Structure formats: C-alpha cells, structure tokens
Amino acid sequence: MLPGKKDRSPVALEQRDASGDQRMFSPSAARNSTPILAVLKRVLPARGAVLEIGCGTGEHAVCFAGAMPNITWQPSDPDADARTSTSSWIKFSRLKNVLAPRDIDVCSGQWGVEQTGPFDAIVSINMIHIAPWAASLGLFAGAGRLLHAGGLLLLYGPFMRDGAHTAPSNAAFDAALKARDPSWGVRDIADLEQVSKAAGLVLRETVEMPANNMLLVFSAGSV
Ligand SMILES: C[S@@+](CC[C@H](N)C(=O)[O-])C[C@H]1O[C@@H](n2cnc3c(N)ncnc32)[C@H](O)[C@@H]1O
C-alpha cells in the first residue's frame, strides 16, 4: 500500500484460490463502494449499459450491478489478474447483468467494445492518477467516441483544484505516486475539464466524497 493513504491501494491484495475461487479483495473498494453507489443511483438512468474502466478486483462491478439490476455492467481492465478476479467475482455473485471483463487499455485507439456501445455511462474509479497522463487523454477520447449524447463519464478519486491539493493527505499521496512513477499523479480538475471539452464532454457536477476524494460527473454532447 502506498504510504500516507489508505483509500487508494492498487489492486490488492489477498487472493483466495481454494476451489477455483480467484477473487481478490481491495480494502479501498470495501470502503468506497457504498458512497460511490449512492451517487451512481442518483445520476445513472434506471436502465442502460455502463462500461467500467480499470475495474481492478471486480468488487465494484458486482456491488453496483447487484444494486442496479436494470443496468448491464461491462467491466474492463488491461491487467489479466484483475480480469481473473473479476470473472471470479461475477461467478460468485451469480449476477446476470455483469458481462465478462474485457481487456481495455484506454491508451489504445480502439477499445474493442465499439460494436457493444454506445454506452449510457463510463465509470472509472481510482485509475487516472495511477497511470500516465496519456491514460486521461485516452479515457476522454474514448468517452467521446463511445457515449450516447447525454451519456456520463464518472471519475472517482483524489483531484486537485486550480493547481492546489484539497488536503495535505492528497499532497502526500501525490508525492508518493510520483516517487513510484513520475508519470503518475493526482490530476487537476481544470486540466481534465480542458481535455473533456476537446472530446465533446462538459463537467456537469463535482461531488465531494469521503477521505478527500471527489466524483466528477462529465456529460457527453447534448441530452
Ligand atoms: C488502483 S487500481 C483501481 C482498481 C479499481 N477501480 C478499484 O478502485 O478498486 C487501478 C486500475 O487501473 C487499471 N489501469 C491502469 N492503467 C490503465 C489503462 N491505461 N487503461 C485502463 N485501465 C488501466 C489497472 O490495471 C488497475 O486495475
């Protein structure tokens, strides 16, 4: 786990393999699923298709799909272990509205779900700061290609506002990220807004979340 922050460990963590159970467990997902779900239930349509980018263990996918049975949830992650864990969570949950995880790297120009979309929403939790800036660019470009008009791009994590951290713990976390990989780091909302405009999205809402996180709600085109 990264020093100075308890809510953002990269995919965890503890792996259970008895009886083919390959679910991984992320402490941060256990903490943030409930507050994120509350926002999703408010902003997502009652029914539709959601693409999750960087799904990690898959715990969010089954938690959210289980609570919103009329949403078809498409998890994705470029990491094979994450997809294995997600598949195991889907099997364990017995949910019918979670699709098998796809291998999507947002830096790629084609995500392989172009035929499945367009989507009502794209959700990415604790991804863009633990990836190079190119991942933010790719994520917005993909959202511009794959969202319905009025569709939502939802980003959860720590963010800076106008060049300043919103809490000392976020500044420490940012420094720890950059020490680990100089291309990583907490992103500034103003920079993301600029990129979003180029992709045809607008920042509609900034929701304050526990532990100095935020959930940014961007919408595509016009409703
Ligand atoms: C810190 S983990 C968060 C996982 C999960 N969303 C959660 O909150 O528990 C970041 C995830 O982003 C994924 N990721 C990293 N770079 C990515 C990229 N370029 N495109 C898509 N996903 C990426 C990683 O494989 C990893 O699963």
Side-chain angles (χ1 to χ4, degrees):
M1 181 174 295
L2 294 162
K5 212 70 193 175
K6 294 194 177 110
D7 192 35
R8 311 196 174 124
S9 50
V11 174
L13 318 172
E14 175 190 334
Q15 191 152 5
R16 298 182 182 177
D17 59 1
S19 311
D21 181 356
Q22 298 188 77
R23 290 175 297 154
M24 292 193 289
F25 294 77
S26 160
S28 66
R31 280 192 296 273
N32 62 31
S33 289
T34 299
I36 294 174
L37 175 61
V39 180
L40 296 187
K41 281 183 153 178
R42 177 170 63 78
V43 301
L44 290 180
R47 58 183 62 242
V50 174
L51 172 63
E52 182 183 6
I53 295 294
C55 65
T57 62
E59 290 163 281
H60 287 130
V62 297
C63 172
F64 301 156
M68 297 181 287
N70 294 318
I71 298 278
T72 300
W73 198 272
Q74 173 64 76
S76 75
D77 203 290
D79 181 79
D81 290 342
R83 295 196 302 279
T84 298
S85 173
T86 299
S87 295
S88 196
W89 270 105
I90 295 168
K91 186 177 171 194
F92 181 80
S93 73
R94 300 186 177 198
L95 289 168
K96 300 293 180 220
N97 60 324
V98 194
L99 304 178
R102 302 291 297 258
D103 177 2
I104 297 179
D105 180 336
V106 290
C107 296
S108 135
Q110 287 284 312
W111 290 4
V113 288
E114 283 72 12
Q115 308 305 320
T116 322
F119 295 92
D120 296 287
I122 296 175
V123 173
S124 194
I125 299 168
N126 281 333
M127 190 282 280
I128 60 172
H129 54 282
I130 308 181
W133 176 240
S136 297
L137 300 177
L139 180 57
F140 278 99
R145 290 193 308 273
L146 289 167
L147 284 174
H148 282 297
L152 303 178
L153 173 63
L154 306 168
L155 303 184
Y156 172 91
F159 297 97
M160 297 174 75
R161 277 187 199 276
D162 299 322
H165 287 291
T166 60
S169 60
N170 282 6
F173 181 53
D174 188 36
L177 286 171
K178 287 175 172 145
R180 191 164 160 185
D181 186 326
S183 74
W184 294 4
V186 173
R187 307 302 175 195
D188 196 302
I189 295 172
D191 294 335
L192 295 172
E193 232 185 321
Q194 199 174 346
V195 174
S196 76
K197 284 179 191 155
L201 284 83
V202 291
L203 180 60
R204 183 199 280 186
E205 194 181 345
T206 301
V207 185
E208 301 285 340
M209 302 294 284
N212 302 309
N213 290 296
M214 290 184 221
L215 204 156
L216 308 184
V217 182
F218 294 86
S219 65
S222 53
V223 184

